[in-house]
Amino acid sequence: MIDRQLRRRGIQDEKVLSAMFEVPRHEFVPAVYREAAYDDCPIAIGEGQTISQPYIVAAMTEAARIEPGDKALEIGTGSGYQAAILAHLGARVITMERNPWLAATARERLVRLGYGGIQVIAEDGSGGYAAGAPYAAILVTAAAPKVPQVLFDQLDDGGRLVIPVGTLHQQVLELISKHGDKASVCDLDPCQFVPLIGKEGWPEGVR
Ligand code: SAM
């Protein structure tokens, strides 16, 4: 996974590569898919949701430029894998999941694997989590129709927002960096995420 999927596609940050090597991805997928845990694809985790493809996790993490002690918000906990990668890099992580079963399962898993410092919040995270702001990095791991201004507002000066933006079926991974009240936007990769459902995302029931 590290050499064929990540290095070969341009992931260069050794700290990110090392985190992806060390965090046991097979613990974050259902037992029936364990043998496929390191394959080059997303995997179903129940409730119609997925753990993202390894390359996408690495690309988002690299773009977020996490430094130890950074406060990071993830929206879309899913299995908890992305949150564990961020914590492994030394971030103080808050992660939000709208599906209560996924949130509870991820919370238990993260505690069991030694990532009990991650705060898992079971609610719509499309508007972020103002009580924890400002954040050095916000990663949205579900597809948004547009960049929610409220997420930009919750970034610290110098903060990075990594978010897939587009239609329900095709998005571009965007890196939005905050400089004072100004934003710089960089398109990273084409991607396909499940939808961000909620107040600042898509309405419930979209497909
Ligand atoms: N980052 C996850 C991981 O490492 O396993 C994968 C995330 S999965 C592609 C997207 C997740 O976003 C789903 O679990 C979905 O329930 C969640 N989601 C969708 N809309 C959300 C919202 N408004 N707030 C919080 N979570 C949301």
Side-chain angles (χ1 to χ4, degrees), residues 57 59-67 70-76 82-83 86 91-96 125-142 144 147-165 173-178 188 196:
V57 176
M60 292 186 79
T61 310
E62 188 170 68
R65 298 197 313 275
I66 299 293
E67 293 293 336
D70 276 356
K71 192 183 249 196
L73 176 69
E74 184 204 17
I75 298 160
Q82 174 75 79
L86 297 173
R92 294 172 288 148
V93 183
I94 299 174
T95 180
M96 304 183 77
S126 62
Y129 185 62
Y135 302 100
I138 301 178
L139 288 83
V140 182
T141 62
V147 178
Q149 176 68 34
V150 64
L151 296 187
F152 183 75
D153 294 343
Q154 288 177 23
L155 284 178
D156 214 344
D157 195 12
R160 290 83 56 199
L161 168 62
V162 188
I163 179 169
V165 184
L173 196 56
E174 290 189 359
L175 166 64
I176 295 139
S177 306
K178 184 171 186 172
L188 301 177
L196 179 74

Side-chain angles (χ1 to χ4, degrees), residues 49-52 74-82 96-99 102 123-126 141-142 193-197:
Q49 303 302 325
T50 54
I51 175 175
S52 302
E74 184 204 17
I75 298 160
T77 311
S79 68
Y81 179 67
Q82 174 75 79
M96 304 183 77
E97 172 55 58
R98 70 186 286 275
N99 179 295
L102 286 173
E123 61 186 61
D124 174 9
S126 62
T141 62
F193 276 83
V194 295
L196 179 74
I197 307 282

